Amino acid sequence: MLQLVALVICVTLGMFSMAPVGAVLVLIVIVSVLAWLAARREWRPVSALARLVEGWDEHPDIAALSPDRLGRGTDADLASLAGGLHSFAQRIAGYTERERNFTRDASHELRSPLTVIKMSVDMLAEEQALSGFGERSLQRIRRSAREMEALVEALLILAREKDNGVDDEVFVVNDAIGRELGFARDMLAGRPIEFELEEPARFALEGSPRVFAVLFWQLIRNACQQTERGRVVVTVMPDAVVVSNRTEPLPADAEAGGPARPNADRHGFELAIARRISERFAWPLELQTRASGENVARIRFPQVRAA
C-alpha cells in the first residue's frame, strides 16, 4: 500500500512539473523495485510451501509442515495453512499405513485357509469310495474355492494404493487365456456350456500376469453366470480380448417358445470388479449387448508387444 501511495505521488509531481522528469522516472523505478522486492519477500514462504507439497508424491516430508519447523516470522495465515496441511497429511499417512497392514494381513489370513481347502479337496478326490453325491460336493467345494481365490486376488489388487510393478513381466496373452479357460472347463464340468478360443492374433503385454488373469476371470465368470446353456467365445484380436456369450433357450423355454433366462444381471458384481481393475491399469473395458441378444465384453490394451 505504501509503495502504491509513493508511486501516485511521483506521478503527480511529474504531471504538475513540480519535479524534473528524470528525477520522477528514477523515483518511479526505485519505488517499483522496492515494491517487487517486498512482494517477493511476502510470497517466498508461499512458494517454498508449494514446492514442498509438490514433491509429496515421490518424497513426502510431513514433518516439514510441523508448526515447530516454521520460522518465527511466518505469516499467521501461512502458518494456519501449513498446520492444516500437516494435520491432513498425518491422517493420510495413518490411513495408508492401516491400508498396508490390512492388505498384508488379509493376504495371509485369507489365502492360507483357501490353500488348505484346495489341498484337502485334492486329497479327497483321490478316494475311491466316494459316492456320486460326495463327488458332486467336492466339485462344488472346488468351484467355490476357485471363485473365492479369484475374488480375494481381485480385492487385494484393488486395495493396494498403487501398482508398484514388483511382479511385472512380459507375458503372452494367449497363453494366459488358455490357462484360465482350462480352469473354467474344469470348474464347469457337467454344465451345458462350451468354451471356444479364437486366435486370429497373438500378442504380449508388459505388466502383471496375475492382474490380467484376475480381470479375464471376472469376465469369464460373468459370461458363465449369464449362460444357462450355450457358448462362451473368447477372441484374441491384435490389441484386444473379446469375451462374448449367447444364451440358448432351455428345453422348457424352447417348448414354451419363451426367451432364455439369464442367470445373472448384465451389470453384476463381476463386471463391477472388472471395470475397476480396467480403470486402475488403463485397460479400457467396453460392454455391448447386441440386438441378437449376444453380450460382448471387450478389453483394449493401448500398448501391446509382439508375442
Side-chain angles (χ1 to χ4, degrees), residues 225-228 245 247 253 259-266 295:
Q225 292 281 358
Q226 293 175 338
T227 307
E228 293 286 354
N245 66 289
T247 301
D253 296 326
R261 297 189 300 267
N263 195 33
D265 192 292
R266 176 60 177 157
N295 296 320

Side-chain angles (χ1 to χ4, degrees), residues 77-128:
D77 294 334
L78 184 61
S80 177
L81 176 60
L85 288 175
H86 180 258
S87 300
F88 179 72
Q90 282 185 321
R91 290 198 298 270
I92 293 296
Y95 168 78
T96 302
E97 183 64 23
R98 290 192 298 272
E99 177 194 45
R100 186 180 298 112
N101 293 336
F102 168 79
T103 304
R104 182 185 63 249
D105 296 340
S107 176
H108 178 267
E109 297 299 331
L110 292 177
R111 285 172 174 166
S112 296
L114 282 174
T115 302
V116 173
I117 292 173
K118 291 169 59 179
M119 293 177 61
S120 301
V121 168
D122 293 337
M123 293 174 63
L124 285 175
E126 297 178 358
E127 294 289 336
Q128 301 295 329

Side-chain angles (χ1 to χ4, degrees), residues 54-261:
E54 185 179 3
W56 273 5
D57 287 342
E58 297 181 358
H59 304 288
D61 186 8
I62 300 176
L65 293 177
S66 175
D68 300 336
R69 298 277 294 271
L70 299 177
R72 299 183 59 181
T74 304
D75 183 77
D77 294 334
L78 184 61
S80 177
L81 176 60
L85 288 175
H86 180 258
S87 300
F88 179 72
Q90 282 185 321
R91 290 198 298 270
I92 293 296
Y95 168 78
T96 302
E97 183 64 23
R98 290 192 298 272
E99 177 194 45
R100 186 180 298 112
N101 293 336
F102 168 79
T103 304
R104 182 185 63 249
D105 296 340
S107 176
H108 178 267
E109 297 299 331
L110 292 177
R111 285 172 174 166
S112 296
L114 282 174
T115 302
V116 173
I117 292 173
K118 291 169 59 179
M119 293 177 61
S120 301
V121 168
D122 293 337
M123 293 174 63
L124 285 175
E126 297 178 358
E127 294 289 336
Q128 301 295 329
L130 279 179
S131 63
F133 177 78
E135 291 180 358
R136 290 192 297 273
S137 298
L138 278 180
Q139 290 297 329
R140 286 195 295 269
I141 295 173
R142 179 180 285 114
R143 179 167 59 251
S144 298
R146 178 68 179 89
E147 293 177 354
M148 179 60 69
E149 186 179 28
L151 178 60
V152 169
E153 289 287 343
L155 295 179
L156 290 177
I157 288 172
L158 294 174
R160 291 188 303 183
E161 180 184 4
K162 60 181 180 179
D163 180 34
N164 53 17
V166 172
D167 55 351
D168 284 1
E169 60 182 76
V170 178
F171 65 96
V172 179
V173 169
N174 304 62
D175 298 340
I177 290 176
R179 288 191 295 271
E180 294 303 314
L181 287 181
F183 293 143
R185 290 189 180 96
D186 293 339
M187 289 180 55
L188 296 176
R191 288 185 59 182
I193 298 178
E194 297 180 0
F195 291 98
E196 293 185 11
L197 176 59
E198 299 177 354
E199 302 178 271
R202 185 176 176 86
F203 66 90
L205 287 177
E206 182 178 3
S208 171
R210 184 167 62 93
V211 172
F212 174 82
V214 170
L215 173 59
F216 179 73
W217 174 254
Q218 297 304 319
L219 299 182
I220 287 293
R221 187 168 182 266
N222 177 75
C224 294
Q225 292 281 358
Q226 293 175 338
T227 307
E228 293 286 354
R229 59 180 297 164
R231 294 187 307 162
V232 175
V233 181
V234 179
T235 307
V236 182
M237 306 300 291
D239 61 347
V241 174
V242 181
V243 179
S244 60
N245 66 289
R246 183 189 301 275
T247 301
E248 297 179 2
L250 295 174
D253 296 326
E255 295 175 0
R261 297 189 300 267

